[in-house]
Amino acid sequence: MDFNTIKIQLGESIAWVNLDRPEVRNALNDLMIKELTEVFDWLNSRDDIRVIVLKGNGKAFCAGADLAYMKAMAGFSYNQNIADAENLSKLFQTIYFCSKAVIVDVHGACIGGANGIIAAADIVIAEKETKFAFTEVRLGLTPATISPFVVAKIGNTAAKELMLTGRRFTADEAKVFRLVNVVVSEADMIDTERQYIDHFLHASPDAITECKNLLRLASSTDDPYNPVFHQTSVLIANQRISKAGQEGMAAFFEKRKPSWE
Ligand code: COA
């Protein structure tokens, strides 16, 4: 398969997927959202793949949603805007409901929507200098489409602390908040990744799939038709064309404070 925004490498039983827009810190635009969803669907359908490892090329894992494309949504029709927001939600759902073991390696920065990806995954390995933040409220937005996955993973107390303040936090804090599994030095990333891969390859592939179903069931997050996915898509579709959202995103690109600060 040929992609513009991601790179894929297949090994025996393992697929490595790299986000590949390093010039914008792998911010998620419409094409990357589409390609990443497609590649997860495709890998999910392959019997020979048992583990998927996702990482980012360049200085950072992912700077969240591409704010240029989010801002441009104001020029689209309302229905296009909603359909597009549904695609963003669909990406997180596709990772969350994937039947393979999913590992994410993060480094540099893991901001906004990037936290939706890691919340939807199974294992997150963080390089110790990684900066985390849910910056949405500072941009006049809310962490809408990612919230079902993040709240399911870290709970309401941590979500309130991180999502309402929008503050930066370290990899060590991310571990305390249970957003990541393990914090390592850059030199130890590959070994740690390999250890998790080995654990997963010791398990029966069917048992991994069933165990993932079981864990979703046990935490009451097993309904792929849950209306929350649509509701959160509508929420972000409205916010990104709102006065506050447009102002917050303009301020980011103009490297200035937004009007409310
Ligand atoms: N959307 C679009 N462009 C983005 C982006 C995003 N989410 N994040 C970064 N970029 C662009 C910057 O505008 C910059 O472009 P330029 O070179 O044309 O000026 C380029 O990527 C590099 O960004 P820069 O801030 O210089 O890189 P950095 O390594 O110093 O910092 C981040 C990396 C991720 C910490 C920082 O870019 C950042 O905070 N980005 C915003 C993330 C965010 O709030 N996302 C939430 C979306 S809801």
Side-chain angles (χ1 to χ4, degrees):
M1 288 178 106
D2 220 15
F3 296 107
N4 289 306
T5 63
I6 56 178
K7 293 243 176 349
I8 172 159
Q9 199 194 333
L10 296 180
E12 198 179 332
S13 305
I14 308 156
W16 285 270
V17 180
N18 280 45
L19 307 179
D20 193 35
R21 300 180 74 219
E23 66 288 354
V24 287
R25 306 299 181 261
N26 298 315
L28 297 157
N29 67 355
D30 49 351
L31 185 58
M32 188 185 264
I33 290 164
K34 180 173 174 283
E35 292 189 339
L36 203 48
T37 306
E38 272 174 18
V39 85
F40 266 86
D41 272 337
W42 176 63
L43 293 170
N44 199 32
S45 71
R46 287 182 60 135
D47 288 341
D48 59 328
I49 296 298
R50 296 168 60 183
V51 183
I52 303 171
V53 183
L54 179 65
K55 27 186 137 182
N57 285 345
K59 284 190 180 173
F61 167 61
C62 177
D66 186 315
L67 296 170
Y69 125 87
M70 293 270 273
K71 190 165 176 292
M73 276 298 149
F76 284 68
S77 76
Y78 189 64
N79 284 346
Q80 280 173 319
N81 183 14
I82 299 277
D84 181 88
E86 299 262 20
N87 288 341
L88 182 60
S89 172
K90 190 74 198 162
L91 168 63
F92 305 125
Q93 294 171 54
T94 304
I95 297 172
Y96 185 70
F97 289 104
C98 180
S99 61
K100 318 289 181 180
V102 180
I103 300 171
V104 187
D105 290 355
V106 301
H107 73 287
C110 182
I111 316 282
N115 291 298
I117 293 179
I118 67 171
D122 300 315
I123 296 294
V124 185
I125 304 168
E127 196 282 324
K128 62 180 168 45
E129 301 301 332
T130 312
K131 299 176 182 69
F132 291 81
F134 292 84
T135 50
E136 286 86 347
V137 289
R138 297 187 179 199
L139 293 160
L141 306 169
T142 58
T145 50
I146 65 173
S147 60
F149 309 96
V150 175
V151 174
K153 182 152 190 173
I154 69 175
N156 241 317
T157 305
K160 283 189 172 187
E161 156 89 26
L162 301 176
M163 291 179 172
L164 292 177
T165 65
R167 72 173 177 87
R168 281 205 175 168
F169 54 103
T170 63
D172 284 331
E173 281 183 280
K175 182 154 185 322
V176 172
F177 287 123
R178 301 181 182 199
L179 192 56
V180 309
N181 295 78
V182 57
V183 179
V184 297
S185 67
E186 191 183 349
D188 288 337
M189 289 287 283
I190 296 296
D191 276 356
T192 309
E193 177 192 307
R194 188 68 232 181
Q195 282 165 21
Y196 277 105
I197 290 172
D198 287 345
H199 291 313
F200 292 134
L201 295 184
H202 280 303
S204 133
D206 288 346
I208 288 283
T209 301
E210 285 307 322
C211 193
K212 288 189 67 165
N213 289 338
L214 169 72
L215 293 173
R216 286 191 292 259
L217 194 64
S219 56
S220 308
T221 56
D222 63 325
D223 179 7
Y225 302 103
N226 191 327
V228 75
F229 300 130
H230 175 67
Q231 289 158 348
T232 53
S233 303
V234 172
L235 208 65
I236 192 61
N238 283 322
Q239 283 162 348
R240 62 192 181 183
I241 60 172
S242 72
K243 204 170 155 202
Q246 287 289 307
E247 163 61 9
M249 291 187 279
F252 171 75
F253 286 114
E254 290 160 23
K255 301 185 195 304
R256 62 167 172 85
K257 288 186 174 176
S259 57
W260 56 79
E261 225 184 300

